[in-house]
């Protein structure tokens, strides 16, 4: 079977810009509301936190756009998320990918690891990492996930693409090798 071309997934320009600007506008309106005495201080603190998140989102997004760097690369062997420190999920370790939809929140693609890999990841994690992994497993059904909103591909389509590439990987592994 021939090698498949890498799939590059980028962040959506308009989705991330609108989200970042909305969060900043929310913070500015809240500051104004506090100044004129219409909102309490705890609301102001929460809104400023949203504004800071909006600025961080825009900074990361603009940085990625200037580099013209993809958010994710799907290869024949793995999925690489290039944002921040980056993550790589090898198809040899993965059972399947599934879509988690949190109400009023971004979509996340969950990763079911093979049993031995899942235990190894839990053992290799720090104490805080183990707590997070156990919490994720209990609430979402997976130790790890990949944020899938704000991209040029819809989460449902991305999840299907990942599972298709995983299946192609498995078929290549099962193909008998010529001697």
């Amino acid at each position: 079977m021939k090698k498949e071309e890498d799939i590059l997934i980028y962040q959506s320009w308009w989705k991330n810009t609108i989200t970042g600007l909305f969060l900043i506008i929310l913070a500015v309106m809240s500051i104004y509301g506090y100044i004129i005495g219409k909102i309490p201080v705890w609301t102001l603190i929460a809104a400023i936190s949203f504004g800071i998140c909006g600025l961080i989102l825009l900074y990361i997004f603009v940085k990625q756009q200037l580099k013209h760097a993809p958010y994710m690369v799907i290869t024949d062997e793995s999925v690489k998320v290039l944002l921040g420190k980056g993550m790589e999920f090898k198809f040899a370790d993965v059972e399947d990918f599934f879509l988690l939809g949190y109400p009023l929140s971004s979509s996340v693609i969950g990763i079911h690891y093979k049993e031995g890999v899942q235990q190894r990841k839990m053992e290799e994690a720090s104490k805080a990492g183990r707590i997070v992994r156990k919490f994720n497993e209990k609430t979402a059904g997976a130790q790890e996930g990949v944020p899938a909103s704000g991209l040029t591909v819809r989460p449902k389509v991305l999840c299907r693409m990942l599972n298709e590439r995983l299946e192609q990987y498995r078929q290549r592994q099962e193909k008998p090798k010529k001697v």
Side-chain angles (χ1 to χ4, degrees):
M1 204 173 264
K2 68 176 184 147
K3 180 175 167 61
E4 294 290 328
E5 193 173 309
D6 291 351
I7 300 171
L8 305 178
I9 307 293
Y10 291 89
Q11 293 178 316
S12 171
W13 185 89
W14 69 273
K15 288 178 187 176
N16 287 296
T17 301
I18 289 172
T19 302
L21 290 176
F22 173 76
L23 292 172
I24 292 168
I25 290 169
L26 176 68
V28 169
M29 288 173 44
S30 297
I31 292 169
Y32 176 74
Y34 177 74
I35 290 171
I36 64 171
K38 297 285 183 187
I39 65 170
V41 71
W42 64 269
T43 306
L44 174 68
I45 292 169
I48 289 173
S49 299
F50 283 120
I52 291 170
C53 290
L55 288 172
I56 292 169
L57 175 73
L58 286 176
Y59 168 76
I60 291 170
F61 174 66
V62 168
K63 187 176 160 185
Q64 290 289 104
Q65 290 297 312
L66 291 174
K67 290 181 179 178
H68 195 64
Y71 168 77
M72 178 185 292
V73 178
I74 305 171
T75 69
D76 278 348
E77 304 288 324
S78 65
V79 179
K80 298 174 186 169
V81 178
L82 304 175
L83 195 63
K85 293 180 182 178
M87 300 179 279
E88 183 174 14
F89 309 101
K90 295 187 183 300
F91 289 137
D93 297 340
V94 175
E95 192 67 41
D96 72 334
F97 298 94
F98 64 101
L99 192 61
L100 299 172
Y102 296 110
L104 303 174
S105 181
S106 63
S107 295
V108 175
I109 295 178
I111 302 164
H112 281 144
Y113 286 107
K114 294 178 179 174
E115 190 60 37
V117 175
Q118 194 163 316
Q119 287 176 324
R120 186 187 79 231
K121 285 187 169 280
M122 185 67 82
E123 291 167 1
E124 291 174 352
S126 65
K127 189 172 186 171
R130 281 189 213 118
I131 292 169
V132 170
R133 285 179 178 280
K134 285 178 185 175
F135 176 79
N136 288 346
E137 185 127 32
K138 189 171 188 161
T139 59
Q143 286 186 18
E144 291 182 323
V146 178
S149 62
L151 304 177
T152 54
V153 177
R154 291 199 167 141
K156 189 181 260 185
V157 174
L158 179 58
C159 188
R160 189 181 70 235
M161 290 166 58
L162 290 168
N163 281 313
E164 286 172 359
R165 194 52 75 99
L166 175 62
E167 187 57 36
Q168 291 170 356
Y169 171 81
R170 288 182 180 148
Q171 288 174 358
R172 280 193 313 278
Q173 298 305 311
E174 292 173 359
K175 185 177 177 183
K177 295 181 179 152
K178 295 180 182 178
V179 181

